[in-house]
Amino acid sequence: MRTFLQQIIAELKSDYGKEISELCIIVPTRRAVEFLREAIREEYRESIWAPKMLSIQDFVRGISGREFPETMPLVFELYKVYLDRMREDNASFYESLESFYAWGEMLVKDFDEIDKYLVNAGDLFRNIRELKEIDEFFHLDELDLEPIRRFWETLQGKGKDLTEVQEQFLKIWQVLYDIYTNFREKLYRENYSYDGMAYRNIIGLLEEGKLELPYPNIIFVGFNALSRAEEKLMELLLKEKRARVYWDVDHAYFSLKKEALMTGEEPGKFIQEYHQKWKDIGSYLIVHDMMGEEKHVYHTGVPLEVGQAQYLGNLLRDTEIPEEDFRKTALVLADEKLLFPVLYALPSHIDKLNITMGFPLRQTNVFNLLMSVMRLLRNMRMEKNELTFSHKEVSEILNNPYVKSAQTELSEEIQFAINKHNWVYISGKELKKRKLDDLLTHIFSPPNFTSRKVDLKKLLDYCKGVFDFLLADAQVRQNYLETEYIFKFSLSFNQLQDVLLKYKPELSMLGFTRLFREVVQKLRIPFEGEPLEGMQLMGFLETRVLDFEKVYILAANEGNLPDTSSGNSFIPYNLRKGFGLPTYEEKDAIYAYHFYRLLQRTKEVHLIYNSVVSDSTGSAKEISRFIRQIRHFFRQQNNFHIHEGLVSTAAPFSEQARIEIASDIDTKRLFLGRFSGGGRNYLSATALNTWINCRLKFYFKYLARIKEADEVEESMQANTLGTVLHEAMEELYKPHRGKEVDDKLIANLLKSVDRVVEDRFVANGLGKVEDLQGKNLLLHRVILRLCSRMLKQDMESQAFQVIGLEADQFEQKLEIAGQHFAINGSLDRVDQLSETKTIRILDYKTGKVALNDRADLDKIFSNSKNKEMFQGFLYAWLYKRKFPDARVKVGYYTARHLSDGIQFLRKGADIGDMELQAFETKLFELIEKMYTENYTQTDDESKCSYCPYNAICNRKVT
């Protein structure tokens, strides 16, 4: 295979011989320069002075004679210009740096494009008040004017009032030209530039004849779609006979119609236009014929991204490409997320690999750790002159794989303490009681900022310390990859630090952490290697100008190939269209050219795409339009051999097997040990209802004793709310057990509600009232109100005597099927009405209570939806077993319906002896089944949604 670059050097050797050294050869990318050098070595095979070889960006920057800052310093410069201009109209105007930064980056990009495409910025940023002004001010073709008219017509609304968004847009639009101009002038004075500004300045100097280029002859090689500045640069040099342009095209570009390829533009559209203009002054076509050569094209659908990587690994393993052919093979990733899956999937014999893609550092554990530290700073607070940290950020930092791998035991110890003590906020003093290493000691010792404005110097020193400890730690571990990550982060932070100290912007802690994230989340680490050795692993646009014999393209789906994502811009689509700025149509045509150019000289192409209809986000994963085009057109070409395939993976099972635990000797032994009485070994209403609800859940909870995972209760959950309410009511009535409770006594109890509820909050680890925030503060008020309203409900009742409270246990021992069991009930409150001597068993409920008086005992014992009725009968039965002559009724205080008073079982009627006898028969039958029958999953999967064991049962809903 003779590559395009080899053909170019052969042409230049024929025309210039050894005088090629006087040329300056310009290519689209720096990577192409390396392959160009190799082509010269192979063609000449003797000692010569090599020509100057540059990427177009390096060429422009070199002759501009200016410095080119990174994006971050440019955004800071723009921020100062923006504030100065806005304060000309409003002296008190202020916008924070963190809110400006993201759209400041967008403006820098827009200004760069405006200059690269030589757009008249004054016309673009003109604020049109009358549509007729368009024809007067914009000296454009009618075709370009139409989208501009449509845009301003929509914005002006034909006399309608503008929306707030439209008003804001116009307000900023009015000053953008001044900002653009002032920004350029400021950069010019300080000898700075961005690429677009350099292009425009160079074009201006060339047109005025004031620019002396250091190269007598310039050769432009392998370009396609040009910006207007690039086009103008080439045209000026061509007219002066100081340049040549070589285009890489194929016969197919000229013979195929738009309809055949089904694209918005033909792959060679731009080149045809440029060549037609310049063919007499130095434009040359290097024409290839892809349809005149044998070519195999494979289209293969593979499920998911990882599946594609594994399929590629299998292909390379089966093909066994010789090592000398590695560099003639390209692995092209249309989606950068496939980089690491592909690296892990490559066969072991591929030991030489040149990776040209940068790895995004946001995918590293170090990045996640830094973001956790930023959140720690943002959410820390001062309590009693001591810094405290949210348990979320502390847990994130301790559980970060980077930290946990070094301090596993410490991480687990602190996490256990957090869950055990329900620490919503943890003091730095408490953390330092543990043996923290230097890194964690520094992280949990940040400077204290009590005001909105931070001490920037102290904050930067703290962050620098984090990087220093991270770097030292990685070096001690001898983890060179992590060392490289951290070093790259550190360099970027140093740049941010220099800029912040130079400009000294006002920053809050929130502002600093947002800015830090904006800066580091876009960082990429380049892989180093010998570009002319090994198999080439690259992104799609990195293939420009290069040729390979074998090409494997992964993620060949619409959205990736072509890339349909649109970068953010302040300039609306219609204005971009009217002023000749690039839009998605040009982007699609550029991708079409590079795709078909990559096919020109290759012998074998594998287009591997995701065959899954949609991904986890629901986004469609359509096959790339280019694959459809090849199927449609090239199938008719004799030399094109198209192979289509679909890889599928068989499901490991067709149906989830049900889980069932047999009731054998071991499970019976567990059951007897758990419920035979003594200590806390008894059956409760909750345990019995759990078995009715799901037998397997009963097994996990009570026999296997699998504990639910402990979590910090940052906001009071429903179960804790119920606990606090129960404890508060018990605490209020405990001193008065055995006494008559009347209106006067309850009036005194109402005065104690605040103190008792606060005591219960502290006892449950929820904090003192003055420390409560947000939801917990609201729930504290709710519990105060519930307790007060329950007491007032009691005032409306006849006087009563408190007989028992929750601490009093009502236990019964039973013999069933020759075995002994114990049942126990903790009745919230048992009282006796003074006049009627009726016993009331009362229960406090914070949730919903469903009392179905039509439900018979069969339904109560078979459906867990009747759990309140089951519990009520069980409590009445327990009490009557102890006091057979008592008249008993069961009622519920329901927090949701306190205004309805006490809701009584059986509409307030006494629970009769015959009814309780029937209940007892059913109860004994139930306990015998629990002891003898297998433990199976419930058939009603709706019950599994909130079950803590649903993951074990494979019934977890995602």
Side-chain angles (χ1 to χ4, degrees):
M1 177 191 71
R2 192 164 175 79
T3 68
F4 168 64
L5 293 179
Q6 288 171 340
Q7 290 178 266
I8 291 295
I9 297 303
E11 289 272 346
L12 295 178
K13 181 181 180 183
S14 174
D15 291 348
Y16 294 97
K18 291 187 177 182
E19 293 179 4
I20 193 173
S21 59
E22 297 180 8
L23 303 179
C24 177
I25 306 175
I26 300 174
V27 287
T29 66
R30 290 175 181 169
R31 179 163 181 74
V33 171
E34 298 298 328
F35 285 82
L36 193 61
R37 288 196 180 103
E38 184 195 35
I40 292 174
R41 285 196 298 268
E42 291 179 352
E43 184 66 34
Y44 277 84
R45 298 187 180 276
E46 59 179 314
S47 297
I48 62 165
W49 288 106
K52 190 71 174 176
M53 290 169 279
L54 298 168
S55 69
I56 184 70
Q57 183 187 57
D58 291 336
F59 171 76
V60 170
R61 288 186 174 188
I63 61 178
S64 73
R66 294 184 171 271
E67 293 183 39
F68 289 79
E70 298 289 339
T71 301
M72 188 203 311
L74 287 175
V75 174
F76 274 76
E77 291 284 359
L78 182 60
Y79 176 62
K80 287 191 66 178
V81 169
Y82 168 72
L83 287 182
D84 290 343
R85 175 58 187 85
M86 297 302 286
R87 285 168 181 168
E88 289 178 13
D89 300 331
N90 179 5
S92 61
F93 176 84
Y94 177 77
E95 181 171 348
S96 66
L97 174 62
E98 62 266 25
S99 66
F100 174 83
Y101 193 89
W103 76 277
E105 278 189 313
M106 184 174 68
L107 275 185
V108 169
K109 178 175 169 290
D110 282 343
F111 291 168
D112 184 62
E113 278 194 329
I114 287 169
D115 285 341
K116 280 182 179 175
Y117 284 82
L118 305 180
V119 172
N120 185 316
D123 284 351
L124 174 64
F125 293 129
R126 187 181 299 280
N127 183 19
I128 302 300
R129 286 300 180 185
E130 297 291 337
L131 290 175
K132 64 184 179 181
E133 295 177 4
I134 291 175
D135 297 325
E136 178 181 348
F137 287 115
F138 295 157
H139 309 294
L140 299 172
D141 296 335
E142 181 62 30
L143 193 64
D144 295 329
L145 284 173
E146 185 53 34
I148 299 175
R149 287 197 192 98
R150 284 201 303 271
F151 169 73
W152 284 108
E153 203 167 40
T154 302
L155 188 61
Q156 299 299 72
K158 293 185 177 179
K160 298 177 183 178
D161 292 336
L162 298 179
T163 66
E164 185 178 344
V165 173
Q166 288 173 329
E167 287 282 9
Q168 186 65 21
F169 174 86
L170 283 174
K171 185 178 179 181
I172 296 175
W173 194 260
Q174 287 176 338
V175 299
L176 274 184
Y177 179 65
D178 291 341
I179 292 171
Y180 164 81
T181 304
N182 296 346
F183 181 53
R184 281 171 49 88
E185 289 174 353
K186 189 173 193 303
L187 293 180
Y188 192 85
R189 287 194 304 270
E190 297 177 8
N191 201 40
Y192 292 143
S193 182
Y194 51 86
D195 287 328
M197 178 177 165
Y199 269 107
R200 194 188 281 269
N201 291 343
I202 289 168
I203 297 301
L205 292 172
L206 280 174
E207 287 179 328
E208 296 172 8
K210 296 180 180 178
L211 182 65
E212 287 294 327
L213 293 176
Y215 318 110
N217 291 290
I218 298 172
I219 311 295
F220 294 95
V221 172
F223 287 85
N224 173 36
L226 305 172
S227 68
R228 284 187 183 171
E230 290 170 335
E231 182 182 347
K232 191 71 174 176
L233 173 66
M234 292 182 188
E235 187 169 64
L236 289 171
L237 294 175
L238 285 169
K239 287 181 177 178
E240 293 179 6
K241 300 191 181 301
R242 298 181 59 186
R244 288 186 186 183
V245 184
Y246 287 91
W247 312 99
D248 187 9
V249 295
D250 196 280
H251 282 299
Y253 299 172
F254 304 111
S255 60
L256 301 182
K257 296 180 180 179
K258 294 180 187 178
E259 294 78 16
L261 284 178
M262 297 178 290
T263 62
E265 305 288 351
E266 306 98 321
K269 173 185 182 295
F270 299 114
I271 292 175
Q272 290 182 61
E273 292 175 357
Y274 301 138
H275 182 65
Q276 193 62 33
K277 249 193 333 183
W278 301 335
K279 62 183 179 181
D280 296 328
I281 56 174
S283 175
Y284 299 92
L285 299 178
I286 304 297
V287 184
H288 189 267
D289 185 7
M290 74 167 78
M291 290 184 288
E293 301 172 344
E294 289 283 329
K295 201 178 301 289
H296 290 268
V297 182
Y298 297 83
H299 309 153
T300 309
V302 183
L304 306 176
E305 284 76 8
V306 175
Q308 295 176 69
Q310 292 296 329
Y311 177 72
L312 172 66
N314 292 337
L315 272 181
L316 296 173
R317 190 174 295 108
D318 296 340
T319 307
E320 293 185 358
I321 302 169
E323 186 175 326
E324 60 269 18
D325 289 340
F326 278 4
R327 64 157 309 229
K328 300 176 184 176
T329 303
L331 313 179
V332 181
L333 308 184
D335 183 351
E336 68 173 19
K337 293 194 295 293
L338 281 169
L339 176 58
F340 268 75
V342 166
L343 290 177
Y344 283 118
L346 290 177
S348 58
H349 74 273
I350 299 179
D351 56 354
K352 290 186 177 180
L353 190 68
N354 185 45
I355 307 172
T356 62
M357 301 176 68
F359 176 63
L361 290 181
R362 65 178 177 275
Q363 296 180 20
T364 65
N365 291 327
V366 175
F367 174 81
N368 293 330
L369 176 61
L370 291 173
M371 292 303 100
S372 297
V373 172
M374 289 300 110
R375 286 189 288 273
L376 183 87
L377 294 175
R378 195 165 64 223
N379 296 326
M380 66 183 184
R381 64 187 192 183
M382 181 65 70
E383 290 182 0
K384 297 178 180 178
N385 296 319
E386 189 175 354
L387 275 178
T388 61
F389 310 104
S390 167
H391 75 95
K392 289 182 179 178
E393 286 75 54
V394 173
S395 296
E396 281 179 12
I397 290 168
L398 294 173
N399 290 322
N400 182 281
Y402 185 88
V403 172
K404 196 165 186 177
S405 63
Q407 300 221 72
T408 305
E409 291 183 7
L410 174 70
S411 174
E412 292 175 353
E413 176 196 334
I414 298 176
Q415 192 65 57
F416 177 79
I418 289 171
N419 293 332
K420 179 182 178 181
H421 300 292
N422 201 64
W423 285 334
V424 178
Y425 276 83
I426 307 105
S427 70
K429 184 178 179 181
E430 184 67 44
L431 287 169
K432 289 169 190 172
K433 288 179 183 177
R434 277 75 183 175
K435 294 181 180 179
L436 303 179
D437 65 8
D438 292 341
L439 172 62
L440 289 177
T441 300
H442 182 80
I443 287 175
F444 294 124
S445 305
N448 174 32
F449 302 109
T450 55
S451 62
R452 183 179 181 277
K453 185 178 177 181
V454 301
D455 185 324
L456 192 57
K457 181 68 169 61
K458 287 183 179 179
L459 181 56
L460 292 172
D461 287 344
Y462 167 80
C463 293
K464 187 177 186 306
V466 172
F467 285 112
D468 289 343
F469 282 115
L470 279 172
L471 200 56
D473 188 56
Q475 289 170 341
V476 168
R477 299 187 198 190
Q478 294 187 336
N479 189 322
Y480 302 112
L481 186 57
E482 284 183 345
T483 301
E484 192 67 27
Y485 295 161
I486 297 164
F487 183 68
K488 184 71 175 178
F489 278 124
S490 183
L491 286 178
S492 183
F493 172 76
N494 289 341
Q495 186 185 52
L496 174 63
Q497 178 177 250
D498 292 343
V499 172
L500 287 173
L501 291 177
K502 176 182 177 182
Y503 293 98
K504 296 182 174 59
E506 289 186 10
L507 279 175
S508 63
M509 182 62 78
L510 176 62
F512 174 80
T513 55
R514 282 180 176 172
L515 183 61
F516 182 88
R517 180 183 177 84
E518 285 287 341
V519 170
V520 301
Q521 70 179 345
K522 296 172 185 174
L523 293 178
R524 308 174 77 87
I525 185 169
F527 289 91
E528 293 185 1
E530 172 52 54
L532 302 178
E533 280 189 19
M535 201 170 285
Q536 307 292 308
L537 178 57
M538 56 182 65
F540 181 75
L541 290 180
E542 291 163 341
T543 64
R544 285 176 289 179
V545 191
L546 307 181
D547 295 297
F548 304 93
E549 289 187 359
K550 281 189 177 182
V551 176
Y552 299 82
I553 302 179
L554 276 71
N557 290 83
E558 198 69 13
N560 300 327
L561 197 66
D563 179 5
T564 55
S565 61
S566 56
N568 293 327
S569 173
F570 202 78
I571 306 169
Y573 168 82
N574 279 23
L575 291 186
R576 297 183 71 87
K577 188 75 174 172
F579 282 92
L581 290 167
T583 62
Y584 68 87
E585 290 102 329
E586 286 77 17
K587 187 176 181 180
D588 287 354
I590 290 168
Y591 262 80
Y593 169 77
H594 290 307
F595 176 79
Y596 286 104
R597 203 214 69 79
L598 190 57
L599 264 62
Q600 284 176 200
R601 297 171 181 84
T602 188
K603 295 177 181 177
E604 184 178 315
V605 180
H606 291 264
L607 297 165
I608 304 167
Y609 60 92
N610 186 352
S611 60
V612 177
V613 175
S614 64
D615 61 14
S616 58
T617 64
S619 303
K621 287 288 182 182
E622 288 290 329
I623 190 171
S624 169
R625 68 187 71 174
F626 299 139
I627 294 179
R628 297 188 187 279
Q629 292 162 14
I630 289 173
R631 288 175 178 174
H632 176 75
F633 183 81
F634 291 103
R635 191 179 295 279
Q636 305 167 25
Q637 309 302 317
N638 294 331
N639 291 325
F640 258 72
H641 305 286
I642 298 176
H643 313 270
E644 298 182 28
L646 194 63
V647 175
S648 60
T649 54
F653 47 80
S654 56
E655 185 177 333
Q656 176 63 48
R658 288 177 60 82
I659 300 175
E660 183 172 343
I661 308 294
S663 179
D664 54 18
I665 295 174
D666 292 331
T667 56
K668 285 183 170 65
R669 187 182 296 117
L670 284 172
F671 195 95
L672 290 172
R674 182 69 179 85
F675 301 117
S676 60
R680 297 179 61 84
N681 296 331
Y682 50 78
L683 285 162
S684 64
T686 303
L688 294 165
N689 260 315
T690 300
W691 193 90
I692 294 170
N693 183 51
C694 176
R695 299 180 181 191
L696 191 60
K697 179 179 180 180
F698 174 87
Y699 175 84
F700 288 146
K701 184 172 183 178
Y702 293 101
L703 301 188
R705 298 196 182 191
I706 300 174
K707 291 184 65 178
E708 299 178 32
D710 289 332
E711 291 183 358
V712 174
E713 200 171 322
E714 189 168 342
S715 294
M716 187 190 299
Q717 305 300 317
N719 57 345
T720 306
L721 183 140
T723 299
V724 173
L725 178 64
H726 280 70
E727 291 179 358
M729 291 301 294
E730 181 181 3
E731 196 70 23
L732 286 164
Y733 276 117
K734 188 188 296 183
H736 308 289
R737 184 189 287 121
K739 300 177 183 178
E740 184 169 84
V741 178
D742 55 16
D743 294 356
K744 185 177 179 181
L745 177 61
I746 293 175
N748 287 328
L749 292 179
L750 283 168
K751 298 175 183 177
S752 305
V753 170
D754 284 6
R755 174 188 57 77
V756 170
V757 170
E758 180 170 358
D759 287 346
R760 292 301 91 205
F761 261 71
V762 173
N764 282 277
L766 297 167
K768 293 186 177 181
V769 175
E770 60 264 26
D771 298 327
L772 297 179
Q773 294 183 356
K775 188 177 177 182
N776 283 353
L777 181 60
L778 292 175
L779 289 174
H780 174 265
R781 294 171 183 170
V782 168
I783 292 176
L784 284 176
R785 188 177 180 189
L786 289 175
C787 288
S788 298
R789 291 191 65 180
M790 285 181 182
L791 290 172
K792 289 175 182 177
Q793 288 279 0
D794 287 342
M795 291 180 77
E796 296 175 9
S797 165
Q798 59 181 278
F800 59 86
Q801 184 181 21
V802 175
I803 296 173
L805 294 168
E806 190 168 2
D808 300 314
Q809 303 293 312
F810 289 81
E811 183 176 330
Q812 286 294 319
K813 293 188 177 180
L814 313 171
E815 184 177 340
I816 302 172
Q819 302 295 337
H820 295 278
F821 305 100
I823 298 181
N824 190 300
S826 297
L827 284 57
D828 289 349
R829 189 174 102 200
V830 181
D831 63 32
Q832 184 178 44
L833 297 176
S834 298
E835 294 180 11
T836 63
K837 304 303 180 183
T838 301
I839 297 296
R840 297 188 307 178
I841 299 173
L842 301 175
D843 205 62
Y844 308 124
K845 296 291 185 185
T846 53
K848 184 179 179 182
V849 173
L851 299 180
N852 183 2
D853 291 313
R854 295 182 180 180
D856 57 24
L857 286 177
D858 287 336
K859 291 181 180 178
I860 291 172
F861 275 87
S862 62
N863 191 337
S864 61
K865 291 181 180 178
N866 297 309
K867 62 182 181 180
E868 287 85 13
M869 297 187 69
F870 178 88
Q871 181 193 53
F873 275 110
L874 180 66
Y875 286 176
W877 175 80
L878 283 169
Y879 193 86
K880 288 279 284 183
R881 291 271 291 198
K882 193 169 184 178
F883 304 102
D885 297 331
R887 294 175 55 195
V888 177
K889 62 174 65 179
V890 179
Y892 300 91
Y893 278 104
T894 59
R896 297 187 182 188
H897 302 286
L898 276 180
S899 58
D900 296 337
I902 301 172
Q903 296 184 54
F904 283 100
L905 195 64
R906 294 292 192 241
K907 296 183 179 180
D910 293 348
I911 309 296
D913 291 341
M914 291 183 62
E915 199 168 15
L916 290 177
Q917 184 60 49
F919 177 83
E920 181 180 286
T921 302
K922 289 283 187 183
L923 179 64
F924 281 33
E925 291 174 0
L926 173 66
I927 295 172
E928 185 173 357
K929 285 181 180 180
M930 293 171 70
Y931 178 65
T932 59
E933 294 186 3
N934 293 345
Y935 301 93
T936 56
Q937 290 174 283
T938 178
D939 292 325
D940 184 0
E941 294 192 19
S942 64
K943 297 177 181 179
C944 304
S945 298
Y946 300 103
C947 176
Y949 309 107
N950 54 19
I952 302 175
C953 300
N954 294 317
R955 286 188 172 177
K956 188 168 186 176
V957 179
T958 57

